[in-house]
Amino acid sequence: MSISRLPVLLVSASLGLILSLQPSVANEAYFSKDGKTVTMGLGGRGRTGLVQVDVATGKITPAPLPAELKDESIDSVAAGSEGEALFLAKDGVWVWTPGAATPVKHVCATAPVVGATDLFVSTVPGTPLTDCLLISGNESADATSRGTFYGRKPSGKHAFLSVFCRRVSDATGGIFSTDGRLFFVTQGDVWEGGIQMDEEAGTERLGTLVGARIAPLGIMNTDEANGGNMWVQHVAPAGKWIYAQLRGRHMAAIMRVPLPAKALHSPTSDDTLTTQDQLDAMTYSLNKTEIISEDMEFAAGFCATEVGGKPRVFYFGDAEEDKGLAMMLWEGAGKPRVIGHLPQE
């Protein structure tokens, strides 16, 4: 489907209550630095395993998981500083280096977080958050919201510490850009911000989440026949764009919005946002939003990158006849194309 413009007056409703009842989200895949492979968890449709996909050929190479992870639904993966794959399974963080002889290893437990749903890592050197493991979740198994972020500093001496947030109770889908800017999903839309680290030694929390909604892409409607809704599930900053995957019941879409020249609200900013500041930022995003693909029943395994100034967006979508779920690639123009299929279950 050709790219089309979203209408300026797109109405975005608050999805907080509805989202608290929806399945949790996680970063399911990522591109290698050269854009030639995608490492992906297969938990998007209740499958098991972790694989690497060769973008040029569509060849799928499974990770050699240990017996204890054989039946695990892996649906959250992130790239480490050395290109290793970090992923969540069995209440812990694990690591796999594609192509290396080193087997999959257990890194640490996610305690005190129960049911961690998202994993992301800052790989930009020389920052307070460099190599910190960050996850989403709660400390209570019966929590009524998805919770916010928790972080673990790169040392075996630390457990995961909470990231304080006074206003948001469903921060998920966190991801850092190549220059260290933090984007995340909350209330079904795209936010940008950061984590203001606590300076006091021995603190019980890692820091404070700072941010603001920059792109209200969540869509809701209702009618007598069959209303529908889609909310942002994953984001991926790449080049001058923020790519977003939206999901709803039997519906999905891939969009992109322009990357703001600077963060609207960040830990280092002393500016007080006015109502007009936020309206201007959101209006700009909506005016420039482009739809890459829509009218899908399903989308998962989403990730994006830019190589040599050319974007690459990967996801797997609807099944094609008897071939299985189609692995899709979009390279900046025209329609996304099929590069292969996941094996039939």
Side-chain angles (χ1 to χ4, degrees):
M1 179 171 296
S2 60
I3 296 177
S4 59
R5 297 286 186 184
L6 279 179
V8 176
L9 297 179
L10 175 67
V11 177
S12 175
S14 173
L15 305 181
L17 177 60
I18 292 177
L19 287 175
S20 68
L21 303 176
Q22 300 294 342
S24 299
V25 301
N27 295 323
E28 298 169 326
Y30 68 86
F31 273 97
S32 58
K33 290 182 180 180
D34 60 11
K36 294 181 178 180
T37 64
V38 168
T39 301
M40 175 175 60
L42 295 181
R45 275 211 163 173
R47 297 186 177 210
T48 61
L50 178 71
V51 300
Q52 188 176 74
V53 180
D54 183 280
V55 173
T57 65
K59 180 182 177 181
I60 299 172
T61 303
L65 298 178
E68 60 188 308
L69 299 181
K70 181 180 178 182
D71 297 322
E72 285 295 301
S73 178
I74 297 170
D75 56 6
S76 185
V77 299
S81 295
E82 303 299 325
E84 70 276 23
L86 297 157
F87 62 95
L88 292 176
K90 282 189 174 294
D91 297 321
V93 179
W94 301 71
V95 64
W96 172 55
T97 303
T102 306
V104 173
K105 290 185 177 181
H106 183 264
V107 177
C108 64
T110 57
V113 181
V114 178
T117 60
D118 184 81
L119 173 67
F120 56 107
V121 184
S122 173
T123 59
V124 177
T127 76
L129 284 171
T130 301
D131 291 332
C132 279
L133 300 175
L134 291 145
I135 57 178
S136 303
N138 291 283
E139 295 182 48
S140 173
D142 59 356
T144 57
S145 69
R146 291 179 179 172
T148 53
F149 297 136
Y150 289 76
R152 181 182 186 272
K153 297 178 181 179
S155 170
K157 300 178 181 179
H158 303 283
F160 279 92
L161 300 174
S162 66
V163 176
F164 175 71
C165 184
R166 180 178 287 109
R167 305 297 183 194
V168 173
S169 61
D170 63 343
T172 58
I175 189 169
F176 290 95
S177 65
T178 55
D179 59 356
R181 294 171 68 172
L182 174 62
F183 298 90
F184 58 98
V185 176
T186 191
Q187 297 177 1
D189 289 320
V190 182
W191 290 50
E192 182 182 5
I195 297 175
Q196 186 174 18
M197 302 292 282
D198 276 3
E199 298 179 357
E200 297 181 9
T203 182
E204 294 183 356
R205 68 189 191 196
L206 184 72
T208 301
L209 182 63
V210 176
R213 184 173 67 165
I214 60 172
L217 300 182
I219 296 171
M220 292 186 67
N221 62 74
T222 184
D223 57 48
E224 183 178 7
N226 184 20
N229 63 72
M230 289 192 295
W231 55 94
V232 178
Q233 191 172 41
H234 307 293
V235 293
K240 297 180 179 180
W241 297 91
I242 305 167
Y243 295 84
Q245 178 216 313
L246 282 73
R247 280 277 304 276
R249 181 173 175 80
H250 303 305
M251 57 198 308
I254 307 292
M255 302 180 184
R256 68 177 185 175
V257 300
L259 188 77
K262 65 176 183 178
L264 179 66
H265 190 41
S266 69
T268 57
S269 173
D270 294 326
D271 296 337
T272 300
L273 293 179
T274 67
T275 302
Q276 192 63 52
D277 290 334
Q278 300 223 182
L279 288 174
D280 288 345
M282 293 187 291
T283 299
Y284 176 77
S285 293
L286 288 179
N287 276 332
K288 302 293 184 179
T289 297
E290 296 178 352
I291 301 173
I292 295 172
S293 183
E294 60 179 336
D295 297 332
M296 299 181 289
E297 291 188 2
F298 175 77
F302 165 81
C303 57
T305 190
E306 187 171 285
V307 179
K310 188 175 182 179
R312 290 183 182 178
V313 177
F314 174 91
Y315 61 95
F316 64 89
D318 302 335
E320 283 195 341
E321 298 178 354
D322 297 328
K323 297 179 181 179
L325 297 173
M327 296 187 295
M328 310 296 297
L329 183 71
W330 183 74
E331 297 180 281
K335 298 179 180 179
R337 61 185 176 88
V338 179
I339 63 169
H341 297 83
L342 291 182
Q344 297 276 29
E345 294 181 89

